[in-house]
Coordinates of all heavy atoms in Angstrom, one line a residue:
Chain H
Y182 N -4.6 16.0 9.9 CA -4.9 15.0 10.9 C -4.5 15.4 12.2 O -3.4 16.1 12.4 CB -4.3 13.7 10.5 CG -5.0 12.9 9.4 CD1 -4.8 13.2 8.1 CD2 -5.8 11.9 9.7 CE1 -5.4 12.6 7.0 CE2 -6.5 11.2 8.7 CZ -6.3 11.5 7.4 OH -6.9 10.9 6.3
K183 N -5.2 15.0 13.2 CA -4.9 15.3 14.6 C -4.6 13.9 15.3 O -5.3 12.9 15.1 CB -6.1 15.9 15.4 CG -5.8 16.1 16.9 CD -7.1 16.7 17.5 CE -6.9 17.0 19.0 NZ -8.2 17.5 19.6
Q184 N -3.4 13.8 16.0 CA -3.1 12.6 16.6 C -2.8 12.8 18.1 O -1.8 13.5 18.4 CB -1.8 11.9 15.9 CG -1.5 10.6 16.5 CD -0.3 9.9 15.8 OE1 0.6 10.6 15.3 NE2 -0.3 8.6 15.8
E185 N -3.6 12.2 18.9 CA -3.3 12.3 20.4 C -2.3 11.2 20.7 O -2.2 10.2 20.0 CB -4.6 12.2 21.1 CG -5.5 13.4 20.8 CD -6.9 13.3 21.5 OE1 -7.2 12.3 22.2 OE2 -7.6 14.3 21.5
K188 N -2.5 7.3 20.0 CA -3.7 7.0 19.3 C -3.5 7.2 17.8 O -2.5 7.6 17.3 CB -4.8 7.9 19.8 CG -5.1 7.6 21.3 CD -6.4 8.3 21.7 CE -6.8 7.9 23.1 NZ -8.1 8.5 23.5
R189 N -4.5 6.8 17.0 CA -4.5 6.9 15.6 C -4.7 8.3 15.1 O -5.4 9.1 15.8 CB -5.5 5.9 15.0 CG -7.0 6.3 15.4 CD -8.0 5.2 14.8 NE -9.3 5.5 15.3 CZ -10.2 6.3 14.7 NH1 -9.9 6.8 13.5 NH2 -11.4 6.4 15.2
P190 N -4.2 8.6 14.0 CA -4.5 10.0 13.4 C -5.9 10.0 13.0 O -6.5 9.0 12.4 CB -3.5 10.0 12.2 CG -2.5 9.0 12.4 CD -3.2 7.9 13.2
Q191 N -6.5 11.2 13.2 CA -7.9 11.4 12.8 C -8.1 12.6 12.0 O -7.5 13.7 12.4 CB -8.8 11.4 14.1 CG -9.0 10.1 14.8 CD -10.0 10.1 15.9 OE1 -9.7 10.5 17.0 NE2 -11.2 9.8 15.5
L192 N -8.8 12.5 10.9 CA -9.0 13.7 10.0 C -9.8 14.8 10.7 O -10.9 14.5 11.4 CB -9.8 13.2 8.8 CG -10.1 14.3 7.7 CD1 -8.8 14.7 7.0 CD2 -11.1 13.9 6.8
F235 N -0.8 16.8 11.8 CA -0.1 16.5 10.6 C -0.8 17.0 9.4 O -2.0 16.9 9.3 CB 0.1 15.0 10.4 CG 1.0 14.3 11.4 CD1 0.5 13.7 12.5 CD2 2.3 14.3 11.2 CE1 1.3 13.1 13.4 CE2 3.2 13.6 12.1 CZ 2.7 13.0 13.2
F250 N 2.8 12.8 4.2 CA 2.6 13.6 5.4 C 3.8 14.6 5.7 O 5.0 14.3 5.4 CB 2.4 12.7 6.7 CG 1.1 12.1 6.7 CD1 0.9 10.9 6.1 CD2 0.0 12.7 7.4 CE1 -0.4 10.3 6.1 CE2 -1.2 12.1 7.4 CZ -1.4 10.9 6.8
Chain K
S671 N -12.8 3.7 13.8 CA -12.7 4.1 12.3 C -13.2 3.0 11.4 O -13.5 3.3 10.2 CB -11.2 4.4 12.0 OG -10.5 3.1 12.1
Q706 N 5.5 4.8 11.8 CA 5.7 6.0 12.6 C 6.7 5.6 13.7 O 6.3 5.0 14.7 CB 4.4 6.5 13.2 CG 4.6 7.8 14.0 CD 3.3 8.4 14.4 OE1 2.4 7.7 14.8 NE2 3.1 9.7 14.3
L712 N 4.7 10.3 9.8 CA 4.1 9.1 9.2 C 4.7 8.9 7.9 O 4.5 9.6 6.9 CB 2.6 9.3 9.1 CG 1.8 9.4 10.4 CD1 0.6 10.2 10.3 CD2 1.4 8.0 10.8
F759 N 0.9 1.8 11.1 CA -0.5 2.1 10.9 C -0.9 1.6 9.5 O -0.2 1.6 8.5 CB -0.8 3.6 10.9 CG -0.8 4.2 12.3 CD1 0.2 4.9 12.8 CD2 -1.9 4.0 13.1 CE1 0.2 5.5 14.0 CE2 -2.0 4.5 14.4 CZ -0.9 5.3 14.8
A772 N -8.7 9.1 4.2 CA -8.1 7.8 4.7 C -8.4 7.7 6.2 O -8.2 8.6 7.0 CB -6.6 7.9 4.5
F773 N -8.9 6.5 6.5 CA -9.3 6.2 7.9 C -8.2 5.2 8.4 O -7.9 4.2 7.8 CB -10.7 5.5 7.9 CG -11.8 6.4 7.5 CD1 -12.1 6.5 6.1 CD2 -12.5 7.1 8.4 CE1 -13.2 7.3 5.7 CE2 -13.6 7.9 8.0 CZ -13.9 8.0 6.7
F774 N -7.7 5.6 9.6 CA -6.6 4.8 10.2 C -7.1 3.8 11.2 O -8.0 4.1 12.0 CB -5.6 5.8 10.8 CG -4.7 6.5 9.9 CD1 -5.1 7.6 9.1 CD2 -3.4 6.0 9.7 CE1 -4.3 8.2 8.2 CE2 -2.5 6.7 8.8 CZ -3.0 7.8 8.1
G775 N -6.4 2.7 11.2 CA -6.6 1.7 12.3 C -5.8 2.3 13.6 O -5.2 3.3 13.5

Side-chain angles (χ1 to χ4, degrees):
Chain H
Y182 282 81
K183 176 183 180 182
Q184 186 180 28
E185 297 178 353
K188 297 193 175 180
R189 61 185 174 90
Q191 290 189 273
L192 181 74
F235 291 97
F250 284 89
Chain K
S671 66
Q706 187 174 39
L712 292 150
F759 284 105
F773 294 85
F774 282 79

